Amino acid sequence: MTTPDWALRHHYYHHKNSKSAEPAKELFDKCHVRPLVAKAWDITRTSVDEFEVETAWQTIRRLDHRHNESSNSKMWAGTVVQWACDEILIKQQDPVEIYDLSLKKFHGHTIRTWDDGKDARDWEICAEVLTDTIRSSVEGLREVMAGQQIVGESELKGCLFDNELPHINRPDYVGVGDLKTKWPTQSATTKSGKRKASLPKTLDGMFTINNVFQVAGGWYINGRKPVWLLYANEDGYAIFNQDNCEELQPEFLEQCCQKMSVHHRAIENNLKAHADKESLLLSQAPDFDHISWSEPPGVIEEAKRIWGIR
């Protein structure tokens, strides 16, 4: 699929789950931050000007999510759990060895230094239950994929309805399922200083509906094959599919995809309407209270500079 000129000029190549970020944040990331970071990396590899290279590294340390402490301990713990499940279920590695390697891998997380110690405490909490969460996740995945050849993360790419740019979805397993890990939260009212995260009973909540929209895009692209969501914590797991969850039935998933398609079409029309990045970004008012703006100070400062906010 050839990317049209009106998208190329803004470095916007594909859509994603419309629930994952508000429109201004999505455009800021794809049309401003990513090209800026890519250019900075190119400078570090090709330039011989010391000042130019140092300026590029400053951009990388400020805006590149791999270098600016944007990832938090719970996000990294979820990544480690999926890695461990792949090692155990797909590569048939010894679980005991993988538990040890997972803890070492988790220790490689760079703890945030800009959130008043919250991430440091979350790191301690996640480390305490990491192995048990891996066990629960493996058990749940074995049940939900029983009788199937287990395949890990894949990429699905295709247009929703009449959209002109493709929607991308990356299911964790067998092209139809996602694993979601639940981690204890900090608590000032419990003796342990933490509160166990419960597994969802339905998928109609503010955060779980985001997960539904995520699998809905893949469902549409992948020929409407039944999808599932697996939630796991240190004590167990919960499986949701079209047989036990209204939100994963075809009618509801179709509605999700229609809503995402409308969202995508609005972005496409906006890309067509603006000749330059500045006018494109200024056409959207950012909502810095939205969860997608939970970013390091350097990212927020850059966004406020773009929108002229002090």
Side-chain angles (χ1 to χ4, degrees), residues 68-71 111-117 294-297:
N68 68 356
E69 299 181 1
S70 65
S71 176
I111 295 173
R112 288 177 170 178
T113 57
W114 51 270
D115 65 353
D116 298 321
S294 298
E295 294 276 16

Side-chain angles (χ1 to χ4, degrees), residues 227-241:
V227 292
W228 51 261
L229 283 163
L230 168 67
Y231 293 83
N233 63 12
E234 70 267 35
D235 290 332
Y237 60 87
I239 297 170
F240 295 89
N241 54 42

Side-chain angles (χ1 to χ4, degrees), residues 96-285:
V96 175
E97 291 182 7
I98 297 303
Y99 298 152
D100 289 339
L101 288 174
S102 296
L103 284 170
K104 291 178 181 177
K105 193 176 183 71
F106 183 65
H107 286 157
H109 169 61
T110 300
I111 295 173
R112 288 177 170 178
T113 57
W114 51 270
D115 65 353
D116 298 321
K118 182 181 184 302
D119 193 51
R121 177 56 182 147
D122 280 344
W123 186 91
E124 295 173 356
I125 291 173
C126 290
E128 292 171 3
V129 299
L130 183 69
T131 299
D132 287 336
T133 304
I134 293 171
R135 289 195 186 99
S136 296
S137 299
V138 168
E139 290 175 9
L141 289 170
R142 280 183 172 142
E143 178 179 335
V144 75
M145 294 187 288
Q148 302 179 62
Q149 179 180 357
I150 299 178
V151 179
E153 185 176 298
S154 58
E155 180 177 281
L156 302 174
K157 186 176 183 180
C159 290
L160 301 184
F161 298 99
D162 62 349
N163 293 151
E164 297 178 66
L165 295 177
H167 178 102
I168 285 186
N169 176 248
R170 294 182 176 87
D172 293 335
Y173 293 98
V174 293
V176 297
D178 278 344
L179 167 65
K180 304 296 180 184
T181 49
K182 305 288 286 182
W183 303 95
T185 57
Q186 299 177 35
S187 173
T189 61
T190 61
K191 190 174 182 179
S192 64
K194 62 183 181 181
R195 189 180 303 278
K196 188 176 297 182
S198 59
L199 298 172
K201 293 181 171 57
T202 65
L203 297 184
D204 57 358
M206 179 175 66
F207 294 107
T208 52
I209 200 66
N210 185 345
N211 305 149
V212 172
F213 269 73
Q214 183 176 341
V215 297
W219 169 84
Y220 184 92
I221 298 166
N222 201 24
R224 293 176 168 82
K225 295 177 182 178
V227 292
W228 51 261
L229 283 163
L230 168 67
Y231 293 83
N233 63 12
E234 70 267 35
D235 290 332
Y237 60 87
I239 297 170
F240 295 89
N241 54 42
Q242 65 178 8
D243 297 326
N244 66 3
C245 178
E246 178 184 351
E247 286 77 22
L248 294 181
Q249 292 175 359
E251 296 81 4
F252 193 90
L253 294 172
E254 187 85 13
Q255 292 175 15
C256 293
C257 290
Q258 288 175 352
K259 291 177 181 178
M260 283 196 288
S261 177
V262 171
H263 169 273
H264 295 350
R265 192 186 310 125
I267 286 184
E268 291 174 359
N269 288 337
N270 211 12
L271 295 171
K272 294 175 184 179
H274 295 277
D276 58 78
K277 176 184 68 177
E278 288 71 21
S279 63
L280 173 67
L281 293 178
L282 292 176
S283 71
Q284 298 289 328

